[in-house]
Amino acid sequence: MSKIKKIAVFTSGGDAPGMNACIRAVVRTGIYYGCEVIGIKQGYQGMIDKNFFPMNRHSVSNIMQLGGTILKTARCLEFKTEEGQQKAYDNLKEAGIDALVAIGGDGTFTGAERLSRNFNIPVMCVPGTIDNDLYGTDFTLGFDTATNTVIDAIDKIRDTAESHDRLFFIEVMGRDAGCIALRAGIAGGAEAIMLPEKETAIDDLINTLEAGAKNDKSSSIVIIAEGDKNGGAYNVAQKVKEKIDYFDTKVTILGHLQRGGSPSSFDRILGSRMGFAAVKAILRGETRQMVGLRGNNISFTDLEQSISGHEFKLEEDLMEMSTILA
Ligand code: ADP
Ligand code: F6P
């Protein structure tokens, strides 16, 4: 029998499709195993403001198909201070909360790690970010949906690019990681993909584009992750134009539309599996872990390892393949 009787769940950092499926799984699994489940609204801000409410099976009806997060999310600077963390913990204690399930990115995990280290409260983290940049999981919640959204946009832009014989620079999200750019670029047949992890010289890009033009390519699409070292799609377009002016170029920034939308089946199932596994792990007495998916199996990684993102690596085989197939 577990000593944990009251579990709280919250989402924090950037929202991601699939978070709701995860919240639903946490609530229903917790209730199934005889726990009370508390929702915390607006992440760490909600902990500081006592924005807590009890959840039942019905609280999570009909949310699976919704993008965003019904628990809302926030970026909370106060929580980064020791005083903020103490206040949050005091409020959790007052509400009788025994354990936490945190859904978010590495900032969220860092906050959860601080809480558990300083106050010994059990925490289990679920990777929820469209960026797919956390060590210890093949996929994060929302990445599949966001990538599909980008592919849909590339397909549409391809229609008009081809009709007008234009060169399009499409900027996608990924401040530090190029996962969305890489996969969407491959699946969308982009002529070039520019990533934060690998600097692309403008001259090399121009060579690629000119080689395509010589091979009768009348339109081209270049995918640029927002964290690319050349400074984003407008800068890349400008630098290319300064060197060659015969392409008719256009720039599209996809922006926050990549964060929204109904989650794909993959993200719905991933969120459900991770939420289910997180609660079961907490009830087994585990703490300070990130639930992940490795090779289609649920896995657990020490929170500290998942936070020290230097171990996260973009797939080299995909990078090599993308340049050969383009
Ligand atoms: P994400 O979880 O998507 O990486 P953020 O980096 O914005 O998003 O982090 C979400 C929240 O986690 C922050 O607003 C803050 O409240 C908390 N957080 C982030 N970094 C720390 C830290 N070093 N110490 C304590 N809390 C943190
Ligand atoms: O969710 C991850 C992410 O989309 C990054 O790729 C992006 O740089 C960042 O969040 C932007 O988030 P916001 O506009 O909420 O600060």
Side-chain angles (χ1 to χ4, degrees), residues 13-15 75 129-131 173-177 180 226 256 259:
D15 63 338
R75 293 200 158 97
T129 163
I130 65 166
D131 289 340
M173 275 188 166
R175 204 158 27 197
D176 305 307
I180 295 177
E226 63 182 326
H256 286 78
R259 285 244 289 259

Side-chain angles (χ1 to χ4, degrees), residues 198-218:
K198 186 173 168 259
E199 202 159 341
T200 307
I202 294 297
D203 286 340
D204 291 344
L205 174 64
I206 289 172
N207 288 342
T208 303
L209 295 172
E210 289 190 318
K214 276 195 198 114
N215 278 331
D216 292 336
K217 236 176 219 193
S218 59

